[in-house]
Amino acid sequence: MQQGKRTGYGKELFSRFIESNELYVDKTMFLRKILVDSGSDTMLFTRPRRFGKTLAMTMLMEFLQLDFKKPGSSKRQERLFKGLAVMGDRDLCSQFMGQVPTIFLSLKDVQGRNFPTAMDMMADYISVLAGEFDFLLESKKLDDDDKDAFRILKSKSELLKGDAHGSLANSIFRLAALLHRHFGRKVAVIIDEYDVPLAKAQENGYHDLMVDFYTRFFGILKMKMADNPISKIVLTGCLRVAKNGIFSGANNFRPNTVLSKDSDFTSFIGFTAEETASYLGYFGLSKYMGRVRRNYDGYRFGKEEIFCPWDIALFANDATRAIRDNEAVETPNYWIGSESTNTKALKKYVGFLSVKDNQNLQDLSDGKRVAIEINDSMSYDSLDSPQPNDFWSLLLHTGYLTAVRKYAKSERYLVKIPNAEIKKCFDDSIKSAFLGVLARDNGLERITRALLSGDRGTIEKVFQEMLLRYVSLRNGATRSRSENFYEGFVLGVLAACGSALANVKSEAESGEGYADIKFTNPQGNVGVVIELKSSKGTARFEHDMRAALAQIEKRKYAADFIGNSFVRQVYGIAVACSGKSCAVEVKALKGGDGQGK
């Protein structure tokens, strides 16, 4: 690695990366495997977001791309790839470097709230892309019909004509055919984030229409290679989506996913442990490798330990700045707050999962490993009718989980949450989804009204319903693990109530001890104290609830409410839990009917 490089983050295009003098982790040794050794006409790489898919694809594009003004010249490549591994492979460079007309598409911004809008964006993108090849209008090797076809590719309105959008669906093949005729060389097509339009279509309710269009748009994958102006097609995305038939019949198709046993491309996208250590060492950050592992490591692709490049580059940037400014070096969460369409889709599953699936979520949140069925080629249309296997598959493919090992002769995998960063994102997403279930089922209004009126029966019913679907986010280590679970559960329910409750406090000093949970209504004239007990079986519920109510009174947890003349009603609520069962008892400590309902 050359000295004087900068941390490489925020730039996805290989040429900008190199020209900005940013530290590039060399992946060019994979070019021979892709272009020659694989023997595949069509290749697909699926990885979670932020693992460097676009950088890998633009590197491939920059290596191949023919100089349109000086066909056969490789001066641009010699400058961009100087000092990189591929330059030592003279035969490969002679055959491919700067020698292949290349079409590069990034579909990550092709989306819309409805199908016409998505098609409008696709047509806009293709027309701008075609404009990069304006020299075809002056080509002596193209006839007038060819040039008229090219003008259609440049015209957004022409591409959108007809209900079937035939010109748009056929656009990549047509452009490739024109380039092939002009240069007399077969064309490479690289499509980055191919599945984003499908994900957006599923999210907004027009998935079937997009699949129909995509089946025609990707017809280039299924042409006989002897008649095909395209020599190589390489795609990236998050999911393989084989189920809906887009790739059915694709010529010599070779997918590489996070579960692939094929080790040829395991570390093509992402940093290995050795690359990560070298990257940190370059910036004098080797001593932080342990912290980097805890927060950002943990992924296993095939047999390889892989780090997310986005995390490593951002950490190196922030750490070098902190050291320069004499500040503490931290390990921030770089994933949080940037959900993709795929991770949003996960929330649809919460509330439909079985008790067993919810327990698996709980075990994962507790740092355990669980054995689950994984579908390596799930389709976005699966998200319309949530199934547990697809839920786990989506968690895996979007980076929330990683596979530790595969069980023999089955599609079962042992999985875990990769690291501390993803654990926080996992917990936040699941918590958000859980609160969404409460809102969706009208549980918020029911539980709020019941808590502030001492309605024992409703409190118990809603708590029981929610407990079956709840995944705990641990509330500290001051109490037993089981009590932490249930306190986290109740606090999650109260958090969902939002402004309908006020002054919610946990483990707050009160009277002669620390009340589990206390809160009031927004007006402040109703006070509630909750005491939780983790029971050793449901047979202990009655005993433990009596003990909880006695504890509230004996330790005077509600003294500040009772002694306040403005507070007219005060309720003590005892909640006894065991496993996924609970029971509730209520006592009116001031006002009310004294019995609970």
Side-chain angles (χ1 to χ4, degrees):
M1 292 184 179
Q2 299 177 14
Q3 294 300 310
K5 298 290 184 180
R6 297 158 48 191
T7 55
Y9 75 96
K11 293 182 178 65
E12 295 182 313
L13 303 181
F14 177 77
S15 58
R16 291 184 60 192
F17 208 93
I18 298 300
E19 290 166 352
S20 298
N21 198 36
E22 295 180 345
L23 183 60
Y24 175 68
V25 174
D26 194 350
K27 300 290 185 177
T28 63
M29 68 288 292
F30 287 96
L31 288 170
R32 172 168 284 279
K33 293 182 178 181
I34 293 171
L35 298 172
V36 179
D37 297 345
S38 71
S40 298
D41 301 323
T42 303
M43 302 186 71
L44 168 66
F45 296 95
T46 66
R47 296 291 187 276
R49 62 195 174 100
R50 292 182 170 174
F51 265 80
K53 296 189 293 291
T54 300
L55 181 59
M57 292 301 99
T58 57
M59 181 271 287
L60 173 61
M61 180 269 290
E62 294 281 8
F63 181 76
L64 295 173
Q65 187 63 278
L66 189 77
D67 186 327
F68 301 143
K69 294 181 179 179
K70 297 179 180 180
S73 172
S74 59
K75 288 186 177 180
R76 175 176 170 80
Q77 283 81 6
E78 289 168 5
R79 175 172 55 83
L80 289 175
F81 289 84
K82 181 179 179 181
L84 297 177
V86 72
M87 297 303 289
D89 191 338
R90 294 183 179 181
D91 289 341
L92 187 76
C93 291
S94 175
Q95 183 179 357
F96 291 101
M97 191 169 76
Q99 305 302 311
V100 184
T102 303
I103 301 171
F104 177 87
L105 299 86
S106 175
L107 300 183
K108 65 180 180 180
D109 294 322
V110 175
Q111 53 187 279
R113 290 189 176 277
N114 53 56
F115 184 64
T117 302
M119 289 297 95
D120 186 84
M121 293 187 71
M122 179 70 87
D124 187 61
Y125 182 86
I126 295 297
S127 65
V128 172
L129 173 67
E132 298 176 7
F133 304 93
D134 264 347
F135 58 84
L136 291 174
L137 291 172
E138 307 299 325
S139 175
K140 295 180 180 180
K141 296 183 179 180
L142 301 184
D143 59 26
D144 290 342
D145 288 341
D146 291 331
K147 293 177 181 179
D148 286 343
F150 181 70
R151 290 187 181 96
I152 290 176
L153 295 180
K154 288 188 61 181
S155 171
K156 178 179 176 180
S157 60
E158 290 292 330
L159 288 171
L160 288 172
K161 280 186 176 179
D163 293 338
H165 306 309
S167 294
L168 184 58
N170 196 41
S171 58
I172 300 305
F173 169 75
R174 176 60 63 187
L175 182 57
L178 294 173
L179 288 170
H180 179 227
R181 194 165 302 163
H182 174 75
F183 288 112
R185 308 182 188 198
K186 287 204 171 187
V187 177
V189 175
I190 301 170
I191 304 178
D192 191 34
E193 304 286 5
Y194 88 94
D195 60 336
V196 169
L198 286 171
K200 292 295 182 180
Q202 190 281 325
E203 182 181 352
N204 291 296
Y206 57 92
H207 179 263
D208 289 347
L209 290 171
M210 184 58 76
V211 168
D212 179 63
F213 171 78
Y214 251 40
T215 301
R216 291 177 290 126
F217 186 71
F218 283 102
I220 55 175
L221 305 177
K222 305 169 188 180
M223 292 185 61
K224 293 181 179 179
M225 296 312 292
D227 305 324
N228 199 333
I230 300 170
S231 61
K232 194 80 173 183
I233 301 172
V234 182
L235 308 96
T236 72
C238 281
L239 301 182
R240 179 177 166 183
V241 297
K243 180 180 175 182
N244 57 28
I246 291 171
F247 295 128
S248 296
N251 287 308
N252 205 7
F253 177 55
R254 182 175 181 178
N256 184 272
T257 75
V258 297
L259 296 176
S260 292
K261 296 179 181 179
D262 178 1
S263 62
D264 285 350
F265 298 101
T266 299
S267 58
F268 174 44
I269 298 172
F271 288 177
T272 64
E274 293 76 14
E275 289 168 341
T276 301
S278 179
Y279 194 97
L280 295 178
Y282 181 89
F283 296 105
L285 301 171
S286 295
K287 69 178 182 180
Y288 298 104
M289 185 65 178
R291 289 169 62 180
V292 166
R293 281 187 182 278
R294 285 192 296 275
N295 285 276
Y296 310 124
D297 188 18
Y299 287 100
R300 302 286 299 187
F301 297 166
K303 297 180 180 180
E304 195 82 61
E305 175 188 12
I306 299 293
F307 291 72
C308 176
W310 169 265
D311 287 326
I312 305 309
L314 280 175
F315 170 77
N317 181 75
D318 291 348
T320 51
R321 181 203 55 78
I323 292 170
R324 183 193 65 218
D325 296 341
N326 198 30
E327 297 175 357
V329 172
E330 299 179 345
T331 49
N333 191 313
Y334 297 115
W335 258 46
I336 205 163
S338 58
E339 285 189 318
S340 68
T341 296
N342 290 333
T343 53
K344 290 178 183 177
L346 292 169
K347 295 181 179 179
K348 295 184 178 182
Y349 287 87
V350 177
F352 294 98
L353 297 174
S354 67
V355 173
K356 170 63 174 169
D357 288 316
N358 276 302
Q359 185 57 53
N360 281 337
L361 283 176
Q362 184 63 63
D363 288 342
L364 288 165
S365 184
D366 290 344
K368 298 177 183 178
R369 301 175 177 189
V370 302
I372 53 177
E373 293 273 344
I374 294 292
N375 179 3
D376 196 24
S377 58
M378 69 173 293
S379 177
Y380 285 100
D381 54 9
S382 301
L383 304 182
D384 290 327
S385 54
Q387 299 295 322
N389 288 2
D390 289 329
F391 173 72
W392 298 116
S393 300
L394 200 55
L395 280 172
L396 180 83
H397 290 298
T398 53
Y400 281 96
L401 299 178
T402 190
V404 177
R405 69 182 177 90
K406 185 180 186 297
Y407 290 91
K409 299 180 180 180
S410 75
E411 296 305 316
R412 289 179 66 78
Y413 290 82
L414 191 66
V415 300
K416 68 173 184 175
I417 297 175
N419 53 53
E421 178 186 54
I422 302 303
K423 167 68 163 60
K424 180 66 168 66
C425 296
F426 180 91
D427 283 354
D428 284 356
S429 291
I430 297 301
K431 179 180 179 180
S432 174
F434 169 70
L435 301 186
V437 170
L438 281 175
R440 184 187 67 208
D441 293 349
N442 198 32
L444 299 182
E445 183 179 346
R446 292 163 60 208
I447 195 62
T448 300
R449 188 167 55 245
L451 288 167
L452 295 174
S453 64
D455 182 349
R456 186 205 67 79
T458 300
I459 297 171
E460 183 175 281
K461 182 178 180 181
V462 175
F463 275 5
Q464 181 64 75
E465 291 172 356
M466 290 299 103
L467 189 57
L468 290 173
R469 291 185 273 190
Y470 182 66
V471 178
S472 169
L473 313 181
R474 299 302 183 192
N475 191 46
T478 57
R479 313 172 66 202
S480 74
R481 287 176 62 84
S482 58
E483 287 177 333
N484 272 340
F485 176 95
Y486 298 119
E487 186 168 316
F489 160 66
V490 175
L491 286 171
V493 174
L494 299 184
C497 296
S499 60
L501 301 177
N503 305 308
V504 178
K505 298 178 181 178
S506 170
E507 297 296 321
E509 187 172 5
S510 185
E512 298 177 1
Y514 293 85
D516 285 349
I517 300 170
K518 295 179 67 173
F519 56 90
T520 69
N521 64 347
Q523 296 77 22
N525 58 9
V526 178
V528 178
V529 178
I530 297 178
E531 182 65 26
L532 295 137
K533 296 294 182 184
S534 177
S535 300
K536 295 180 179 180
T538 57
R540 294 280 299 178
F541 279 173
E542 291 296 330
H543 173 273
D544 290 341
M545 287 189 294
R546 287 196 300 272
L549 291 174
Q551 183 176 329
I552 291 172
E553 293 188 281
K554 181 179 180 180
R555 298 186 181 178
K556 302 178 181 179
Y557 291 159
D560 54 338
F561 292 156
I562 294 172
N564 186 338
S565 60
F566 182 73
V567 180
R568 298 181 178 181
Q569 292 178 303
V570 180
Y571 295 102
I573 300 176
V575 182
C577 303
S578 177
K580 289 287 187 176
S581 298
C582 72
V584 173
E585 192 55 78
V586 177
K587 183 173 183 178
L589 305 176
K590 181 180 181 181
D593 61 12
Q595 300 297 321
K597 300 179 183 179

